[in-house]
Amino acid sequence: MPGLPSGPQTASVRRHNSRLGLLLFFVYLLLYVGFVLLSALLPAALEWRPFGGLNLALIYGFGLILAALALAFVYGMLARVAPADEASEAH
């Protein structure tokens, strides 16, 4: 893309960010698959009320939302920024 930095450092940063994104995606995917399998195979388990009358389905569902936010925060903290090259700094 015109105007975007390129070069070996930028490629390395993109690889790092891609790997990090995929890793965090698979972490979330495991959490989500756990919820789906629990719903499909043991639906009665989701009726269990471990905390203050809230059932496991509700806790797990909100947990998935919070996990997505937490993983996005982790990505934001660990993702690298590509260095700007001299050509884009001149503009």
Side-chain angles (χ1 to χ4, degrees), residues 30-66:
L30 286 175
L31 293 172
Y32 186 75
V33 166
F35 181 74
V36 170
L37 289 176
L38 193 59
S39 297
L41 302 176
L42 298 168
L46 294 175
E47 296 174 11
W48 177 50
R49 298 181 183 275
F51 301 112
L54 299 175
N55 64 23
L56 185 60
L58 187 64
I59 295 169
Y60 205 141
F62 276 109
L64 285 172
I65 294 168
L66 293 175

Side-chain angles (χ1 to χ4, degrees), residues 5-90:
S6 61
Q9 287 181 329
T10 303
S12 173
V13 168
R14 287 183 183 154
R15 270 193 309 277
H16 172 267
N17 291 345
S18 294
R19 287 183 190 142
L20 177 61
L22 282 173
L23 173 68
L24 296 176
F25 168 76
F26 283 114
V27 167
Y28 187 80
L29 183 64
L30 286 175
L31 293 172
Y32 186 75
V33 166
F35 181 74
V36 170
L37 289 176
L38 193 59
S39 297
L41 302 176
L42 298 168
L46 294 175
E47 296 174 11
W48 177 50
R49 298 181 183 275
F51 301 112
L54 299 175
N55 64 23
L56 185 60
L58 187 64
I59 295 169
Y60 205 141
F62 276 109
L64 285 172
I65 294 168
L66 293 175
L69 292 172
L71 291 172
F73 180 76
V74 168
Y75 181 82
M77 296 298 293
L78 297 179
R80 297 181 183 158
V81 177
D85 61 8
E86 293 80 26
S88 65
E89 288 177 3

